[in-house]
Structure formats: structure tokens, C-alpha cells
Amino acid sequence: VDITNDSIKERTEKLRKIVFDKFIEDFPKGNPINSDWLIKIINEFHERPEGEDDPKYFVTPYFKQYIEEIKANINLATGKPLAPRTITRFAYTLKHINQLEEHLSKKYRIIEIDLKFCNDFVQYHKEANKYEDSVISKSLKQIKQVIKTARTKQIKVNAEIDSDKFTFKKSETIDTYLNEEEINIIYNYDLSDNQSLDKVRDLLITGVW
């Protein structure tokens, strides 16, 4: 960290300007100008959170805030409020983040949502919770979506959130099929006593071929 006299002077001057500009903004509005007001500005300047519930710095409170905000959103495709299951899915994703935090005994900052987080998230939920690939993939997709919205609120995010590697590809679906011998077994099975099943069997044989 550069702590030369010039850098200290530069940062002090920058802070002085921010305090002055904030005073010009708040004083005419009748907002209280006191020690709490000043400490808040200084903390924001030095990127110091007010606590682990500060949505400007920590993932969990920001996620909660996001979920509350989308409850009032309208689905542009239907013109109706978002489906409850959509909101519930975001709540599940938040739960998955909290599970990892509890496992690691840490609270993730928004700036820490990077490729290492992505890797840790996948590894933990695959090995510890045995979640299906599709569940992990959906959660990572929503995490990426939510964290990107923080930019619109002038919150710093890690550039790696934009990486194509910040994802988890689901395992390829295994094609299930019958071989020729198995098809012939079904074809030759005697269903003469059940015309309905006999017709269904004909349709099945046509389909699998």
C-alpha cells in the first residue's frame, strides 16, 4: 500500500471534496449535519461497512434486499407480478450461499464473488450436499444476475463475475435407447389377449426404430 506523503495528501484532498459536496447536497434539504453524518461519509470513502448486515458490502444482506425489491417487479413478458416460484428460487439460492458461509465460517463480501468463490461453491455443494448439477447451475446463474445489479447502485463488484468461467455446466444427458435384440423381445411378446396393449406395442416399436 502506498502511504507516501503525496498519496496521503491526495486522498485527504479527495475526502475533503467529498465532504464539501455532500454538505452542499444535504444542507439545503434540512438533513442533519452532525458527527454521525461525517462518520458515514468517512466510512464510505474508506469502504468500511457499518456491519455484516450492510448491503453495500456483504452478499447476504444485498441478496435479501434484492429479493424484497423484485417482489414489486412486473414480468415484462406478461405484464403481471413475478411468479412466487421465481422469488422462491432466489431464496433457495441465498440459502445455498449461507450454507457455504456456515461451512467456511465467513461472510462473503460482494467484491469476493469471483472465480474462486464459484469453484468453492460448486465443490462444496457437489461433495457435501450432493446437489444435482442443474441445481448448482441455476444458483450460480442467479448469483451472477444479482451481483451484476450491484453495479447500478455504484457498488464495487469483482470483474471475474463477467467471466464465461463463472458457471457450472450440467452433465450431458445420457441417451437412453433399446438395442435391436431388446426391440425384438418386445415385438415378439405375445399380447394377443390384450388388443389395447398390442396397439400400444406397435406404436412403441415404430417410435423406437
Side-chain angles (χ1 to χ4, degrees):
V1 179
D2 184 4
I3 55 172
T4 63
N5 289 335
D6 288 342
S7 66
I8 293 175
K9 182 178 179 180
E10 181 180 347
R11 286 183 62 80
T12 302
E13 180 60 27
K14 186 175 181 180
L15 175 58
R16 187 197 67 79
K17 184 178 185 306
I18 290 174
V19 171
F20 180 77
D21 290 344
K22 190 65 176 172
F23 176 83
I24 295 299
E25 177 185 345
D26 288 347
F27 185 76
K29 297 178 182 178
N31 294 337
I33 308 298
N34 50 32
S35 58
D36 290 339
W37 172 86
L38 181 59
I39 290 173
K40 185 174 185 297
I41 294 174
I42 294 173
N43 284 341
E44 289 179 353
F45 177 76
H46 291 290
E47 298 180 359
R48 294 178 59 190
E50 297 178 5
E52 292 183 346
D53 292 328
D54 192 337
K56 297 189 298 298
Y57 298 98
F58 288 95
V59 174
T60 291
Y62 184 79
F63 229 94
K64 290 179 179 177
Q65 178 178 283
Y66 178 88
I67 291 172
E68 288 302 313
E69 289 175 353
I70 65 173
K71 288 180 180 178
N73 286 359
I74 298 296
N75 186 326
L76 297 180
T78 64
K80 298 179 180 179
L82 293 180
R85 65 177 177 273
T86 300
I87 298 171
T88 300
R89 187 67 191 79
F90 279 101
Y92 283 148
T93 296
L94 175 57
K95 179 181 178 181
H96 297 163
I97 295 172
N98 293 156
Q99 288 172 334
L100 179 60
E101 288 185 329
E102 290 176 7
H103 172 68
L104 298 176
S105 298
K106 71 169 294 179
K107 294 292 184 181
Y108 275 102
R109 288 177 175 246
I110 293 174
I111 197 67
E112 293 177 309
I113 304 304
D114 54 12
L115 293 180
K116 183 180 184 306
F117 165 85
C118 181
N119 182 72
D120 291 343
F121 187 90
V122 171
Q123 184 176 1
Y124 171 70
H125 288 302
K126 283 283 287 183
E127 296 179 359
N129 289 328
K130 308 297 183 184
Y131 285 159
E132 294 182 2
D133 294 354
S134 59
V135 172
I136 298 174
S137 177
K138 287 178 182 177
S139 286
L140 282 176
K141 183 177 180 181
Q142 288 194 329
I143 291 170
K144 192 168 190 173
Q145 175 185 339
V146 173
I147 296 302
K148 279 188 171 183
T149 66
R151 287 190 178 126
T152 64
K153 300 181 180 181
Q154 285 72 54
I155 296 175
K156 287 187 177 181
V157 304
N158 196 297
E160 291 181 359
I161 195 72
D162 297 315
S163 173
D164 293 337
K165 296 179 181 179
F166 194 99
T167 187
F168 180 60
K169 294 182 179 179
K170 296 179 286 185
S171 300
E172 293 184 5
T173 302
I174 299 175
D175 292 330
T176 303
Y177 62 90
L178 298 174
N179 59 36
E180 187 173 347
E181 180 182 355
E182 292 167 330
I183 294 173
N184 285 331
I185 290 174
I186 298 173
Y187 179 75
N188 294 317
Y189 191 80
D190 184 11
L191 291 172
S192 58
D193 61 339
N194 192 320
Q195 290 186 351
S196 178
L197 285 180
D198 190 55
K199 291 179 180 179
V200 172
R201 186 259 307 281
D202 290 344
L203 291 173
L204 173 64
I205 295 300
T206 302
V208 295
W209 271 120

